[in-house]
Amino acid sequence: MMGDTVFGKIVRKEIPAEILHESDRVMAFKDVNPQAPTHVLIIPKEEIPKASDIDGKKHAELLGEMFDVANAVAKERGVDESGYRLVFNVGPQGGQEVYHLHMHLLGGRQMRWPPG
Ligand code: AMP
């Protein structure tokens, strides 16, 4: 099946996830292998493999909703004041493992720069 990634299975409720937000277009759920006290993934339900497949005009509303959800999650998890990190890994050298677009929201500890 096209775009049959683990996140596609979560969208279709074929496998479980700790879902924090769900709308017609966007889902947010906890990362199963958290790299920070707060580690949430925000994904479109639409199967866009990676950030470089985004068309700014076509996906503007979808991306806007993903950022609205990220902002809401940051508030709900209590990291909005302290700060946090939003990350898109893109392709092999970007460290992308799941080819269904996702934004990482990492918070609850001091982030370092440069990233690994
Ligand atoms: P990336 O390396 O940017 O593609 O990130 C993929 C992320 O998905 C990793 O942080 C994984 O821990 C996470 N992940 C993989 N499978 C699951 C799952 N079933 N539920 C939640 N998160 C997952």
Side-chain angles (χ1 to χ4, degrees), residues 3-12 15 29 97-100:
D4 191 22
T5 67
V6 67
F7 294 170
K9 291 185 170 69
I10 288 173
V11 168
R12 296 191 296 272
I15 61 168
F29 51 88
E97 288 174 358
V98 179
Y99 281 80
H100 181 127

Side-chain angles (χ1 to χ4, degrees), residues 6-7 10 30-33 41 89 95-98 102 104:
V6 67
F7 294 170
I10 288 173
K30 290 188 184 176
D31 196 294
V32 78
N33 182 23
L41 301 172
N89 294 325
Q96 186 173 3
E97 288 174 358
V98 179
H102 52 282
H104 294 258

Side-chain angles (χ1 to χ4, degrees), residues 20-116:
L20 305 177
H21 273 264
E22 182 169 10
S23 73
D24 288 348
R25 287 195 296 201
V26 175
M27 271 178 107
F29 51 88
K30 290 188 184 176
D31 196 294
V32 78
N33 182 23
Q35 301 302 312
T38 292
H39 189 172
V40 176
L41 301 172
I42 297 114
I43 72 165
K45 288 187 170 177
E46 182 183 341
E47 286 162 346
I48 300 168
K50 56 191 188 300
S52 52
D53 296 315
I54 289 168
D55 177 313
K57 286 199 178 69
K58 183 176 161 198
H59 296 121
E61 271 194 43
L62 181 64
L63 288 175
E65 187 175 338
M66 287 174 67
F67 276 88
D68 284 347
V69 170
N71 291 344
V73 166
K75 280 205 182 75
E76 286 161 15
R77 311 307 291 181
V79 297
D80 54 323
E81 297 285 330
S82 54
Y84 51 93
R85 185 167 289 174
L86 298 175
V87 177
F88 288 94
N89 294 325
V90 186
Q93 286 207 346
Q96 186 173 3
E97 288 174 358
V98 179
Y99 281 80
H100 181 127
L101 183 69
H102 52 282
M103 181 198 284
H104 294 258
L105 188 159
L106 296 140
R109 68 168 171 83
Q110 182 60 52
M111 295 294 149
R112 287 173 293 278
W113 197 264

